[in-house]
Amino acid sequence: CQTGEVAADPQLYDQSYLSPVTIGNSELMLDFDTGSADLWCFSTESPAVQSAGHGLYNPSTGTELDGAFWDITYGDQSAASGNVFADKVVVGGVTATKQAIEAATSVSYEFTEDVASDGLLGLAFSSINTILPQPQTTFFDTVRNTLAKAVFTVDLKKGAAGSYTFGYIDSSKYSGAITYVPVNTANGFWQFTADGYSGGGNNASTGRGGVAIADTGTSLLYLPASVAKGYYSGVQGASFDFRQGGYTLPCSATPPDFNVAIGGKTFTVPGSYINYAPLRAGSSTCFGGIQADSGIGFSIFGDVFLKAVYAIFDDSGSSPKLGFAAQ
Ligand SMILES: Cc1nn(C)c(C)c1CC(=O)Nc1ccccn1
């Protein structure tokens, strides 16, 4: 029975969190993403102009999956594509002897520019894996029957290293009880329903909740437009800046805490997490950690929320469930 733990190292402004993964005989830094189901990495097959500065997977240690290819486009329109190999993957001591490795032959500029990241490790449901003609399993699905318990946990922190565990829940990482909610896997995400929100100018509306996904691969907290608007109505100097594509606020502001009701329990995102990052280095205007989920179709509980809680992704029972506990 395997169990393991791996660090989650924050990048600048907690834009993403990277974890060391051994693939074949290379160690790469991957962005664990509960919002997608492809394990892809820069490779010796990637064009040099796209892969400069990145760690590369060398498929010579793997076995090519003949005729298999992959092509993924994320919600923010970043994209990557390539071919597929089977190789050994080790994450925090947990070993998948034969894992589908999606070697990139093309990536969009967002990934080229993010030189600290060598690729993504998807932890959503394998039903949305993009490999054709035959979708393959995520790392978690590949190893889950060998784990002591078919769970993984997420402990992200603001501006500090957190961790992912596989196969066990670490009671030292949370306080109080874990609140579990059911997961709807129809869209391949860790999708749940939030009961309601409060905080900022929202003190009034807490009743209305909505459909949301728990997504470690997304930096911010995307909420219903009315909730985001209500929150910032309580923040001096905040406004929707259509040129920046979202809400901005003075970097000098200390925004109010934001509360989310899930499974009858309230979880609080400290206001400081919502003063996310300067628009560009040295700017005194910051981009908000809460943004509207307009056009997405559901809310996204990204890192701004996840770094305020301990999250349990549990597929050990008859149907998957999500657990949240105070950190
Ligand atoms: C930011 C965003 N906007 N919209 C419409 C969505 C759906 C997102 C979330 C997103 O795209 N996350 C992501 C991006 C790259 C890699 C992994 N996850």
Side-chain angles (χ1 to χ4, degrees), residues 48-131:
V49 70
Q50 292 183 4
S51 66
H54 293 273
L56 305 179
Y57 167 64
N58 185 329
S60 63
T61 59
T63 311
E64 176 142 29
L65 224 53
D66 288 340
F69 63 95
W70 59 283
D71 188 335
I72 192 164
T73 301
Y74 298 96
D76 64 358
Q77 300 314 298
S78 59
S81 59
N83 49 27
V84 189
F85 298 82
D87 209 334
K88 178 176 161 187
V89 172
V90 184
V91 176
V94 174
T95 299
T97 47
K98 271 188 72 179
Q99 171 64 37
I101 309 296
E102 302 174 36
T105 56
S106 177
V107 305
S108 64
Y109 73 88
E110 294 89 348
F111 294 113
T112 296
E113 284 177 2
D114 186 3
V115 291
S117 170
D118 302 326
L120 269 70
L121 186 144
L123 291 169
F125 293 92
S126 300
S127 58
I128 58 173
N129 175 263
T130 73
I131 295 173

Side-chain angles (χ1 to χ4, degrees), residues 19-34:
S19 299
V21 177
T22 302
I23 305 179
N25 52 26
S26 350
E27 180 175 287
L28 300 179
M29 293 302 285
L30 300 185
D31 178 1
F32 286 18
D33 179 15
T34 59

Side-chain angles (χ1 to χ4, degrees), residues 175-202:
S175 60
I178 298 174
T179 299
Y180 286 99
V181 287
V183 165
N184 175 347
T185 63
N187 299 315
F189 301 121
W190 290 88
Q191 183 179 309
F192 64 102
T193 298
D195 303 328
Y197 308 102
S198 68
N202 276 328

Side-chain angles (χ1 to χ4, degrees), residues 7-324:
D9 294 333
Q11 300 313 296
L12 186 62
Y13 303 120
D14 299 345
Q15 181 267 336
S16 63
Y17 293 80
L18 302 180
S19 299
V21 177
T22 302
I23 305 179
N25 52 26
S26 350
E27 180 175 287
L28 300 179
M29 293 302 285
L30 300 185
D31 178 1
F32 286 18
D33 179 15
T34 59
S36 67
D38 286 45
L39 194 175
W40 72 262
C41 46
F42 284 89
S43 74
T44 48
E45 298 178 323
S46 312
V49 70
Q50 292 183 4
S51 66
H54 293 273
L56 305 179
Y57 167 64
N58 185 329
S60 63
T61 59
T63 311
E64 176 142 29
L65 224 53
D66 288 340
F69 63 95
W70 59 283
D71 188 335
I72 192 164
T73 301
Y74 298 96
D76 64 358
Q77 300 314 298
S78 59
S81 59
N83 49 27
V84 189
F85 298 82
D87 209 334
K88 178 176 161 187
V89 172
V90 184
V91 176
V94 174
T95 299
T97 47
K98 271 188 72 179
Q99 171 64 37
I101 309 296
E102 302 174 36
T105 56
S106 177
V107 305
S108 64
Y109 73 88
E110 294 89 348
F111 294 113
T112 296
E113 284 177 2
D114 186 3
V115 291
S117 170
D118 302 326
L120 269 70
L121 186 144
L123 291 169
F125 293 92
S126 300
S127 58
I128 58 173
N129 175 263
T130 73
I131 295 173
L132 290 176
Q134 178 59 42
Q136 302 296 310
T137 53
T138 64
F139 170 76
F140 177 61
D141 269 351
T142 305
V143 301
R144 49 173 291 169
N145 296 333
T146 69
L147 295 176
K149 186 177 169 64
V151 303
F152 65 90
T153 75
V154 175
D155 182 22
L156 302 181
K157 295 182 178 308
K158 182 172 190 322
S163 64
Y164 292 93
T165 70
F166 289 87
Y168 72 103
I169 294 169
D170 184 341
S171 55
S172 74
K173 289 186 165 55
Y174 67 92
S175 60
I178 298 174
T179 299
Y180 286 99
V181 287
V183 165
N184 175 347
T185 63
N187 299 315
F189 301 121
W190 290 88
Q191 183 179 309
F192 64 102
T193 298
D195 303 328
Y197 308 102
S198 68
N202 276 328
N203 282 316
S205 81
T206 56
R208 260 177 18 77
V211 173
I213 68 167
D215 185 357
T216 56
T218 293
S219 315
L220 308 181
L221 174 51
Y222 293 84
L223 297 168
S226 58
V227 176
K229 183 169 188 267
Y231 174 79
Y232 287 111
S233 71
V235 181
Q236 194 73 26
S239 64
F240 184 86
D241 181 339
F242 72 94
R243 287 158 55 140
Q244 299 303 328
Y247 287 94
T248 63
L249 70 164
C251 296
S252 57
T254 307
D257 293 350
F258 181 71
N259 308 300
V260 185
I262 301 172
K265 186 89 173 32
T266 295
F267 298 93
T268 297
V269 178
S272 59
Y273 292 17
I274 299 161
N275 201 330
Y276 177 66
L279 294 182
R280 66 200 140 270
S283 170
S284 62
T285 302
C286 278
F287 202 65
I290 285 175
Q291 295 297 336
D293 66 15
S294 311
I296 298 175
F298 43 83
S299 294
I300 302 181
F301 281 39
D303 302 333
V304 160
F305 172 78
L306 291 170
K307 58 190 166 183
V309 298
Y310 183 56
I312 295 92
F313 294 68
D314 185 327
D315 200 5
S316 68
S318 53
S319 75
K321 60 185 183 180
L322 264 172
F324 296 106

